[in-house]
Amino acid sequence: MKYAIEMRNVSKRFTTAAGTEVVAVDNVTLEILDGEFFSLLGPSGCGKTTSLRMIAGFELPTAGEIYIHGKPMDATPPNKRPVNTVFQNYALFPHMTIGQNVAFGLEMERLPRAEITRRVGEALELVRLSGYENRKPHQLSGGQQQRVALARALVKRPEVLLLDEPLGALDLKLRKEMQLELKKLQREVGITFVYVTHDQEEALTMSDRIAVMNGGRVLQVGTAAEIYERPVNRFVADFIGETNFLKGTVVMATDEPDRYLVRLEGGAMLMASCEHPLQPGQQVVVAIRPEKMHLNGSRRFGPYADNHVHIPGRVQEIVYIGTDTHYDVALEAGPIVRVREQNSGVFSPRLALLGEAVSVSFDAAVARILVD
Amino acid sequence: MAAEFVSTGSRRRGFWLMLPSLLWMLGLLIIPLGLVLVVSFGRRDTDGNVIYTFTLDNYLRLIGFSRTYPCGSTPPPCFDPLYLTILWRSIVLGLQTTLLTILIGYPLAYFIARAPASRRNVYLFLVLVPLWTNFVIRLYAWIIILRTQGVLNTVLGWLAGLVNLPFQPLEMLYTPGAVLLGMVYEFLPFMILPIYTSLEKINPSLYEAAADLGANTWRTLWRVIIPLSMPGIVAGTILVFVPVMGTFIVSDILGGRQVILVGNLIQRQFLDARDPAFGSAASIILMVLTLAITLYYTRRFGFGEEITSA
Amino acid sequence: MKHRRPFWLYLIVVLVYIFLYAPILVLIIYSFNASRVNVRFEGIVNIEPCGPFYWFCQLSRNHEVINAARNSLIIASISTLGSTVIGTMAALALQRYEFPLKRFSEGALYIPIVIPELVMGIGILVLFTTVFRAINTALDLQGNARLGMGLGTVIVSHIAFSIPFVALVVRARLHGFDRAIEEAARDLGATEWITFWRITLPNIAPGVLAGALLAFTLSLDDFVITFFTTGPGATTLPIYVYGLLRRTITPEVNALSTIWILLVFLLLVVIQRVQGQQR
């Protein structure tokens, strides 16, 4: 079977206490491949958690179908689905020891005692918590509790592991460690991971593919690079990483497919690509990542030097953050853009002074035309 | 996010879970109260049985207008404020008890709430212990203390002897004062617990903030602490006032036959006087009175979760 | 957080505690009284074979007391069991489900708290007498077969006034309950039934236990409702003591009270310890 999980036109509507209807998930179609690390990424309330809960069986779709390894789930209760969940706040059973927590799922399968003991031991070893069997959850640190939740779900050998913001409650340093650990674990066990997060960096770091969601809809599905480099709309570009948006007007389509000539506010012209068909005169937004912009021609452009754009402006703010220096430049046409220069040299001098008139330049090939 | 656990037929399940309680409340609370209401419009026959009819005589008699019973030597119809006096006395006693329990209970609740966390449970425990010893037994203890040759008079006599004062034992038992004392004693913990619960919730930094803003202890208490503990006082008032209004053994035991409250009146109609119709009317009046006062009070100040803590 | 509390506050606190405990101390001391009429304390009783515990020995030979104690325990145990199960079910229903008559049910549960117990007692008395009379007449029952007040009526009534308290206490506990752990159990393969017994119940157990304890003490302590629903052979300890108070009081009553107080105290200490260990 090719897909671990398929969602076909799935919608979920709730009726609130006030009687109004809320669409939490709106006609979502997703295909998650077997063995991949798949993330559902979006701001809170975008429907990602509801989607995960529908896969787990805690909620039933109002419309549409969910298949797990090709089998339609319909109203299958959570205990009969071949998936397991790692909960946001771990949801460890507070009245049971760590060993009992991990053993619970196996007891439900009525496995022989000896096998349960062996597998619980293996699972705890996998998450490096051997010897903690007799502790109670509240005696463990947040990171340890997190790993118990992981062991408890993995010990069931599920076909798919669902993770609902599993690192949300951890501090930054621990979160970074756990990200790598989770990724490594996923490669070792080879199980499909469906990972819900609102942290774009986390999603980029760990995922094979990401679905960006907003307002109950899936906006874009792709690898980290695809989503970062080729966002399909303004929301995705804005939500993933930092982006400068420049307003412009379509002048004409070029001979090349999907490439258009655009006039930016302030008069600069550039050629950039867009998957949507555009009409001359149409208002568009051009998105350029800060690290792809440069000051005063600080970077030499390659063979397409003729296609680079220079826009005059004035430095408003300089922030040194170690690896990079940010320059916020107010363009003459009005908008403020951020330029990120890497401090890669032994001694990285400032490229401009505060208030200095500069020119911001970029290769038009890195710009994306977005319609909305 | 509305996280509703999926379970089919959850409406039906909720109803089934509730059903036993509903049946119990219906059978032993709502139907009985309805019956009392029906009986209150009835009449007694010469054997003390209820004749079901519709007459307001029982209610009229309660507010003084007797149509079938003589008032002392005056033949009916006549006016006799006896029952009004009893009702009034009960309300006054209820209010006095409530006020006294607040005055005595508040400082203790405050003290416990401000004590170090490790000691609070012990102090609370000490308030609870008398509550769990039997109600009737506690009243009996007060007989031993209050009677003419009792503990209190002995102690007072001994003290008077120390300073060579003549001492005449005080008549304390079987007085209205004894009944009030008994009521306060029996219901004090019900005032302390909810007040403590609401005081304990107050963030300690509020005391510091008030002091920081220049308020002295009294002003802090008056302007900050008491308003914040109002839910506790309301809950305590309900927990004290309602049972005081309906208690008949305290007056029975500590008041002898001297202090008759509405509770005693009702009890006698069902046992000695054998006039259930009149007793039912008095019960309805008592219930309406307490409900009205409780409702007014909760509407006015809100109904805190404090009431559950006791 | 050092706050100097004023001297007068300590004074009031000490006086209130003395007020709370003086009667209890007096009761205990008088259970060793040498005087039979028990009006004055005339020294410690010392009659062989029990010495100072004479009144306790007398008590143990008193069948009425033993019967009353047994009745109290039977009534309290059965009504606690009943009201705990029913009250917990109600708490679950009210906290977790929407269903017809929900508002009404919630209101009905508050009634016993806001109306005087006396009114409820009168109501139950009127109900039982009316119903029993109707049945006895209709079926023409005679002698022992006639329905009347007794242990059964007392137990049923005690369950009625305990249910709301159990429901309130359990509901408070359910309020802070993290339902994710129930979902986790379902996710790990447990059915709803197993989830309830293995996850939900153990976690609300302290609340259920507290509710049961409350029901037990309310039942043991109850005078008013019992007074109106009891019948021949169903005398409880409070009713028995009340009866004694209207006759002569011997130090036996004090001995009974002393035992009662000690038992309650021990029970409470044990509970506190158990709860302390759970934390």
Side-chain angles (χ1 to χ4, degrees), chain B residues 70-259:
Chain B
C71 318
S73 55
T74 319
C78 53
F79 181 79
D80 183 356
L82 172 66
Y83 301 119
L84 270 184
T85 326
I86 292 176
L87 266 178
W88 178 244
R89 187 187 294 142
S90 304
I91 294 174
V92 169
L93 186 78
L95 294 177
Q96 285 173 331
T97 308
T98 308
L99 199 68
L100 273 175
T101 48
I102 293 175
L103 288 178
I104 299 174
Y106 203 99
L108 186 64
Y110 179 84
F111 175 82
I112 300 176
R114 302 282 285 141
S118 54
R119 261 180 271 160
R120 266 180 233 158
N121 274 341
V122 178
Y123 291 148
L124 263 189
F125 179 72
L126 288 177
V127 172
L128 280 170
V129 171
L131 194 68
W132 298 136
T133 66
N134 192 271
F135 196 97
V136 183
I137 288 176
R138 278 174 288 172
L139 286 179
Y140 165 55
W142 281 106
I143 295 183
I144 302 179
I145 295 176
L146 293 180
R147 68 174 142 207
T148 317
Q149 289 168 295
V151 176
L152 196 54
N153 270 327
T154 311
V155 171
L156 288 176
W158 177 74
L159 285 174
L162 279 182
V163 289
N164 278 327
L165 277 175
F167 180 72
Q168 197 66 38
L170 302 168
E171 293 294 334
M172 289 177 289
L173 196 57
Y174 308 132
T175 62
V179 176
L180 179 60
L181 179 82
M183 292 283 192
V184 170
Y185 182 76
E186 293 287 10
F187 295 106
L188 183 59
F190 290 104
M191 183 62 80
I192 295 175
L193 286 180
I195 293 181
Y196 162 78
T197 308
S198 61
L199 281 173
E200 198 241 338
K201 278 190 209 150
I202 296 175
N203 189 336
S205 58
L206 275 184
Y207 295 89
E208 283 148 22
D212 184 59
L213 295 170
N216 63 28
T217 310
W218 285 112
R219 285 181 69 92
T220 306
L221 197 65
W222 194 245
R223 299 283 303 277
V224 180
I225 306 308
I226 289 181
L228 283 173
S229 57
M230 216 46 211
I233 298 177
V234 172
T237 301
I238 291 167
L239 288 173
V240 171
F241 184 77
V242 172
V244 167
M245 287 290 286
T247 297
F248 63 88
I249 40 173
V250 177
S251 42
D252 207 18
I253 292 174
L254 295 181
R257 296 259 156 176
Q258 318 298 311
V259 186

Side-chain angles (χ1 to χ4, degrees), chain A residues 53 58 77-79 84-85 87 92-95 105 107-108 152 156, chain C residues 178 180-181 183-191 194 198-199 202-203:
Chain A
R53 291 172 59 81
F58 302 133
N79 47 320
N84 287 113
T85 308
F87 289 82
L92 298 181
F93 306 131
H95 59 299
E107 283 169 21
M108 293 304 114
R152 188 177 69 176
K156 295 270 290 179
Chain C
D178 178 15
I181 64 172
E183 293 187 343
R186 296 301 308 281
D187 189 69
L188 294 168
T191 60
I194 291 177
R198 290 210 41 194
I199 306 299
N203 277 289

Side-chain angles (χ1 to χ4, degrees), chain A residues 231-299:
Chain A
V232 293
N233 64 17
R234 183 168 179 151
F235 178 85
V236 177
D238 203 20
F239 191 72
I240 315 291
E242 266 184 303
T243 307
N244 295 309
F245 294 105
L246 299 172
K247 282 187 204 154
T249 315
V250 177
V251 178
M252 57 175 281
T254 63
D255 297 342
E256 291 173 64
D258 295 342
R259 283 178 75 80
Y260 298 88
L261 187 64
V262 174
R263 183 205 313 276
L264 296 178
E265 257 182 342
M269 305 282 275
L270 64 92
M271 271 211 295
S273 52
C274 181
E275 282 90 23
H276 297 275
L278 297 174
Q279 300 304 318
Q282 196 174 340
Q283 299 293 314
V284 292
V285 166
V286 174
I288 311 117
R289 299 281 182 194
E291 71 275 13
K292 298 184 198 290
M293 282 185 153
H294 302 283
L295 280 188
N296 291 336
S298 63
R299 180 74 65 91

Side-chain angles (χ1 to χ4, degrees), chain A residues 11-245:
Chain A
S11 292
K12 177 70 185 179
R13 288 184 281 275
F14 291 108
T15 312
T16 63
T20 52
E21 196 172 74
V22 177
V23 183
V25 173
D26 188 5
N27 200 22
V28 162
T29 296
L30 273 181
E31 283 140 358
I32 299 171
L33 299 170
D34 215 358
E36 82 176 326
F37 194 121
F38 191 90
S39 288
L40 293 170
L41 172 66
S44 66
C46 72
K48 56 190 191 299
T49 297
T50 307
S51 301
L52 195 80
R53 291 172 59 81
M54 285 192 286
I55 298 171
F58 302 133
E59 319 265 1
L60 297 181
T62 324
E65 263 299 340
I66 293 173
Y67 302 86
I68 299 177
H69 280 157
K71 279 194 286 281
M73 283 296 119
D74 299 314
T76 310
N79 47 320
K80 302 246 170 70
R81 297 192 181 204
V83 298
N84 287 113
T85 308
V86 176
F87 289 82
Q88 187 162 13
N89 292 309
Y90 322 134
L92 298 181
F93 306 131
H95 59 299
M96 296 184 186
T97 63
I98 302 310
Q100 288 166 336
N101 261 281
V102 179
F104 185 85
L106 300 178
E107 283 169 21
M108 293 304 114
E109 292 175 27
R110 298 178 187 283
L111 296 180
R113 196 71 243 175
E115 188 182 349
I116 292 179
T117 315
R118 182 176 55 78
R119 276 172 65 177
V120 167
E122 285 171 8
L124 284 176
E125 200 179 315
L126 188 69
V127 297
R128 297 184 287 106
L129 280 175
S130 300
Y132 284 72
E133 282 86 347
N134 295 322
R135 306 262 185 109
K136 285 281 186 86
H138 66 91
Q139 294 170 311
L140 267 54
S141 71
Q144 289 170 326
Q145 289 184 26
Q146 215 287 316
R147 300 213 297 269
V148 176
L150 207 58
R152 188 177 69 176
L154 283 174
V155 78
K156 295 270 290 179
R157 297 177 184 158
E159 294 171 12
V160 178
L161 187 70
L162 309 174
L163 303 100
D164 184 8
E165 306 244 5
L167 307 180
L170 303 179
D171 64 48
L172 185 67
K173 193 166 179 301
L174 197 56
R175 201 155 69 217
K176 299 253 182 209
E177 280 172 32
M178 285 301 296
Q179 285 172 9
L180 297 177
E181 208 166 312
L182 267 180
K183 181 70 195 160
K184 196 171 128 232
L185 196 72
Q186 193 256 343
R187 250 187 247 117
E188 277 171 26
V189 295
I191 295 175
T192 312
F193 275 32
V194 182
Y195 191 98
V196 161
T197 180
H198 66 269
D199 183 337
Q200 43 108 358
E201 202 183 318
E202 197 165 286
L204 294 180
T205 314
M206 304 166 76
S207 319
D208 295 321
R209 286 196 309 147
I210 300 167
V212 183
M213 292 186 73
N214 191 37
R217 291 166 174 276
V218 172
L219 302 179
Q220 186 170 8
V221 181
T223 63
E226 278 166 4
I227 282 175
Y228 188 81
E229 303 290 350
R230 306 174 65 81
V232 293
N233 64 17
R234 183 168 179 151
F235 178 85
V236 177
D238 203 20
F239 191 72
I240 315 291
E242 266 184 303
T243 307
N244 295 309
F245 294 105

